[in-house]
């Protein structure tokens, strides 16, 4: 009996101590929040307390799991721990919590990817079809355009690293723990506590714009390639875009990308083969290369558009948090980013330079249009197939963001759910997807200018997601841990990125207005 009484008294004292500790921590957090320093939101606090589901590798080593009961067999009814209390142990005997963040946990046995597989995904993002517009950037930028290809690779690699750094915070032991999952989580943390959802809305809008614009560019480039492959056919670029969109309508019925993903490896390999064919043709004409055409002079009006083109060709920050969270060894993320961006920089620079040297001032917005008609049709048909098979990826991602933001959102959405109780897509939900496909067609028909649209997208959302927001978030969330050179780099990137974004946006819009006013075709 004495042992039981002593045991109950010990429980109550322990609970009281935890309650006082939690209240003290809440008060301290409130003081820091009012002073403008970083403060964890409730969701992030939960991530701290439970070490975050995506930080699985760390918890495998430390075995920090929740203890629901005491060692003797659990708490007595009504005398257990207080609501919200969490006790931890390092021996791994406690049960693992089933979910660590509301509405978003990963399965413990979900397969992870290696650093090579992660690098392949990044390479697919930054070595895609849009490198076809880089020689056009050299046309208006000369050697400065080549420098910008290198500079953009360095900056995008750096901002990718600091974006991932914003996912982590140090716990009481000084160990970095992953407390955020996505780009949206980072943005919300920066705007907390006054506007906890504002940052997420901004990032979501930027993501939707970039994804939809990517879909539009795929339709534009498909029409462009087809009309240049068969110039004798009495079919315009707009008509070819309509044909391409008809082939893309089944995308509205997609529930997942399992079927499409089977073609991704083949498409990427085909694209590399096409790049090699273009470079091989250019090398065959090396004796006629126009080195005198590559100068330090830039076209002040057109060069800002080239900046947007180059920046857009490096955009991958949208999916980096998810990619890093699914790596077997997240510690290899930095190394993976370095070798992928170095490879991209070298390949893009060489491709853009040799292509421009071959055609000089005759360089077109899509470089394959400069090829002789004998091989142009074959190369362009492969590129059209790749564009059509690549379209479902950004389309499905855009649909998911829209559905989560406006039709699901944990019951707080503006509109009812697109899916029925059994998971089937409702008719009006299908109609919205079809409307999105049709919208990409209309944009491609009325604005059929590949380079100008690519420059506009790079300036509008590419610079924001790759330059401005990562540096701003890094300064906000990691301020207390930054050295002076980190602060200098972040501020410099923010200022340079802002100038490039504004100038590129203005000149891209001016170019589109001019093309529309004077009926200029590519």
């Amino acid at each position: 009996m004495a042992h039981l009484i002593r045991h109950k008294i010990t429980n109550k004292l322990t609970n009281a101590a935890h309650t006082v500790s939690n209240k003290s921590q809440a008060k301290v957090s409130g003081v820091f929040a009012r002073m403008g320093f970083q403060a964890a939101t409730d969701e992030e606090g939960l991530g701290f307390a439970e070490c975050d589901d995506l930080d699985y590798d760390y918890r495998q080593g430390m075995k920090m799991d929740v203890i629901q009961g005491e060692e003797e067999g659990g708490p007595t009814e009504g005398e257990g721990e207080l609501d919200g209390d969490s006790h931890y142990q390092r021996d791994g005997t406690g049960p693992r919590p089933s979910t660590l963040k509301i509405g978003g946990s990963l399965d413990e046995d979900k397969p992870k990817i290696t650093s090579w597989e992660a690098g392949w995904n990044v390479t697919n993002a930054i070595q895609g079809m849009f490198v076809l517009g880089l020689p056009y950037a050299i046309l208006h930028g000369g050697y400065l355009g080549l420098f910008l290809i290198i500079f953009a690779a360095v900056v995008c690699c750096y901002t990718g690293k600091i974006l991932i750094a914003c996912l982590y915070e140090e716990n009481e032991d000084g160990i970095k723990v992953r407390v955020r999952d996505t780009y949206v989580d980072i943005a919300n943390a920066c705007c907390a506590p006054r506007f906890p959802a504002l940052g997420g809305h901004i990032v979501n809008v930027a993501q939707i714009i970039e994804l939809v614009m990517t879909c539009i560019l795929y339709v534009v480039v498909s029409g462009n390639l087809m009309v240049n492959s068969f110039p004798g056919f009495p079919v315009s670029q707009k008509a070819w875009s309509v044909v391409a969109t008809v082939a893309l309508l089944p995308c509205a019925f997609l529930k997942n990308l399992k079927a499409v993903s089977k073609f991704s490896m083949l498409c990427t390999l085909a694209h590399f083969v096409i790049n090699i064919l273009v470079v091989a043709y250019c090398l065959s004409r090396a004796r006629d290369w126009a080195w005198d055409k590559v100068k330090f002079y830039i076209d002040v009006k057109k060069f800002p558009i080239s900046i947007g083109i180059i920046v857009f060709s490096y955009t991958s920050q949208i999916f980096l948090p998810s990619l890093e969270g699914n790596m077997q060894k997240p510690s290899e993320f930095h190394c993976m980013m370095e070798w992928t961006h170095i490879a991209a920089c070298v390949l893009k620079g060489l491709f853009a330079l040799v292509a421009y040297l071959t055609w000089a001032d005759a360089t077109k917005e899509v470089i394959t249009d400069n090829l002789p008609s004998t091989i142009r049709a074959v190369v362009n048909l492969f590129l059209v197939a790749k564009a059509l098979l690549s379209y479902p990826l950004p389309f499905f991602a855009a649909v998911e963001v829209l559905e989560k933001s406006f039709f699901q959102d944990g019951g707080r959405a503006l509109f009812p759910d697109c899916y029925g109780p059994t998971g089937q897509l409702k008719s009006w939900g299908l109609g919205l997807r079809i409307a999105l496909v049709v919208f990409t067609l209309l944009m491609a028909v009325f604005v059929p200018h590949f380079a100008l649209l690519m420059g506009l997208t790079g300036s509008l959302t590419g610079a924001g997601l790759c330059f401005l927001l990562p540096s701003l978030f890094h300064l906000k969330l990691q301020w207390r841990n930054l050295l002076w050179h980190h602060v200098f780099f972040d501020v410099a990137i923010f200022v340079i990125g802002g100038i490039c974004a504004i100038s590129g946006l203005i000149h891209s819009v001016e170019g589109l207005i001019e093309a529309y006013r004077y009926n200029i075709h590519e």
Side-chain angles (χ1 to χ4, degrees), residues 277-456:
L277 289 175
V278 174
V279 172
Y281 176 81
C282 294
L283 291 175
S284 69
R285 297 183 53 187
R287 285 178 293 183
D288 301 324
W289 280 359
W291 285 99
D292 57 316
K293 296 290 185 179
V294 188
K295 300 178 181 179
F296 288 97
Y297 167 79
I298 63 173
D299 186 332
V300 178
K301 189 174 181 180
K302 295 290 184 68
F303 184 64
I305 301 173
S306 301
I307 296 175
I309 293 173
I310 293 171
V311 170
F312 186 73
S313 71
Y314 279 106
T315 53
S316 64
Q317 270 73 359
I318 289 179
F319 66 87
L320 288 182
S322 174
L323 191 69
E324 189 265 354
N326 284 282
M327 289 180 64
Q328 291 176 358
K329 298 179 179 178
S331 59
E332 297 179 352
F333 178 81
H334 282 205
C335 179
M336 180 274 295
M337 287 290 289
E338 289 167 2
W339 66 257
T340 52
H341 282 74
I342 289 173
C345 174
V346 172
L347 293 175
K348 287 181 179 182
L350 290 176
F351 180 84
L353 180 61
V354 299
Y356 175 73
L357 290 173
T358 304
W359 289 287
D361 293 338
T363 300
K364 296 184 179 180
E365 294 188 10
V366 182
I367 195 60
T368 55
D369 291 342
N370 288 104
L371 292 170
S373 57
T374 52
I375 62 174
R376 183 197 312 158
V378 177
V379 171
N380 283 358
L381 284 175
F382 273 102
L383 284 173
V384 169
K386 175 172 170 52
L388 296 180
L389 289 172
S390 299
Y391 181 97
L393 300 173
F395 175 82
F396 190 76
V399 167
E400 280 197 321
V401 174
L402 287 169
E403 288 179 350
K404 185 176 181 181
S405 301
F406 297 102
F407 301 96
Q408 295 172 356
D409 197 22
R412 300 187 303 272
L414 297 175
F415 306 101
D417 202 336
C418 294
Y419 297 91
T422 59
Q424 78 277 12
L425 185 64
K426 295 180 180 178
S427 57
W428 64 272
L430 177 62
L432 289 174
R433 292 185 174 206
I434 295 175
L436 184 58
V437 176
V438 174
F439 174 76
T440 60
L441 167 65
L442 294 176
M443 286 292 294
V445 167
F446 289 106
V447 194
H449 300 278
F450 179 75
L452 291 174
L453 278 176
M454 189 173 170
L456 176 65

Side-chain angles (χ1 to χ4, degrees), residues 67-347:
I67 300 178
Q68 300 294 343
E70 296 187 3
E71 294 180 2
E72 288 85 355
T76 307
E77 185 178 353
E79 298 179 336
E81 60 186 23
L82 297 175
D83 255 356
D85 282 354
S86 296
H87 301 274
Y88 297 90
Q89 62 181 13
R90 295 175 184 267
D91 59 3
T93 58
R96 183 173 179 269
S98 58
T99 58
L100 297 182
K101 280 201 174 183
I102 297 172
S105 65
L106 292 179
D107 235 350
E108 184 174 332
D109 57 352
K110 184 175 181 178
K112 301 286 186 176
I113 60 175
T114 65
S115 59
W116 286 102
E117 291 170 330
W120 180 259
N121 282 307
V122 173
T123 300
N124 286 342
I126 62 179
Q127 296 274 40
M129 286 190 62
F130 302 115
V131 299
L132 299 176
L134 292 180
Y136 186 77
I138 303 300
L139 171 66
H140 298 299
Y143 285 111
L144 191 56
L146 286 174
F147 169 77
L148 191 60
I149 291 176
I150 300 172
F151 177 77
V154 173
V155 172
C156 288
C157 180
Y158 173 76
T159 56
K161 293 178 181 178
I162 64 176
L163 185 67
I164 296 304
C166 293
L167 297 172
Y168 291 83
E169 298 290 351
E170 289 186 358
N171 62 10
E172 296 85 350
D173 299 326
I175 300 174
K176 289 189 175 181
V177 180
R178 202 177 200 265
V179 297
R180 304 177 188 102
D181 295 342
T182 64
Y183 209 143
V184 172
D185 290 343
I186 296 172
N188 284 335
C190 286
C191 295
R194 294 186 179 181
F195 306 102
L198 177 61
H201 293 326
I202 293 173
V203 170
N204 274 336
V205 169
Q207 287 180 341
I208 290 171
I209 292 174
E210 180 157 315
L211 291 168
V212 172
M213 289 297 289
T214 302
C215 293
I216 294 168
L217 285 168
Y218 281 132
V219 178
V220 170
V221 78
S222 297
N224 179 288
L225 292 170
M226 290 302 293
V227 76
N228 284 283
S229 299
F230 306 101
F233 279 31
V235 182
S236 66
Q237 179 175 335
K238 295 179 180 180
W240 281 119
S241 296
V242 173
V243 173
T245 306
V246 171
L248 293 171
L249 278 176
C251 292
F253 298 89
L254 281 177
K255 287 189 176 181
N256 56 66
L257 293 178
K258 185 176 181 180
V260 179
S261 62
K262 296 178 180 179
F263 298 98
S264 61
M265 178 77 73
L266 181 61
C267 291
T268 304
L269 291 175
H271 183 63
F272 275 115
V273 171
I274 291 167
N275 285 351
I276 291 172
L277 289 175
V278 174
V279 172
Y281 176 81
C282 294
L283 291 175
S284 69
R285 297 183 53 187
R287 285 178 293 183
D288 301 324
W289 280 359
W291 285 99
D292 57 316
K293 296 290 185 179
V294 188
K295 300 178 181 179
F296 288 97
Y297 167 79
I298 63 173
D299 186 332
V300 178
K301 189 174 181 180
K302 295 290 184 68
F303 184 64
I305 301 173
S306 301
I307 296 175
I309 293 173
I310 293 171
V311 170
F312 186 73
S313 71
Y314 279 106
T315 53
S316 64
Q317 270 73 359
I318 289 179
F319 66 87
L320 288 182
S322 174
L323 191 69
E324 189 265 354
N326 284 282
M327 289 180 64
Q328 291 176 358
K329 298 179 179 178
S331 59
E332 297 179 352
F333 178 81
H334 282 205
C335 179
M336 180 274 295
M337 287 290 289
E338 289 167 2
W339 66 257
T340 52
H341 282 74
I342 289 173
C345 174
V346 172
L347 293 175

Side-chain angles (χ1 to χ4, degrees), residues 451-480:
L452 291 174
L453 278 176
M454 189 173 170
L456 176 65
T457 307
S459 301
L460 183 62
T461 61
L465 293 171
C466 294
F467 290 0
L468 303 181
L469 294 182
S471 56
L472 183 63
F473 294 164
H474 194 228
L475 287 170
K476 171 68 175 176
L477 296 176
Q478 303 291 326
W479 175 259
R480 288 174 286 176

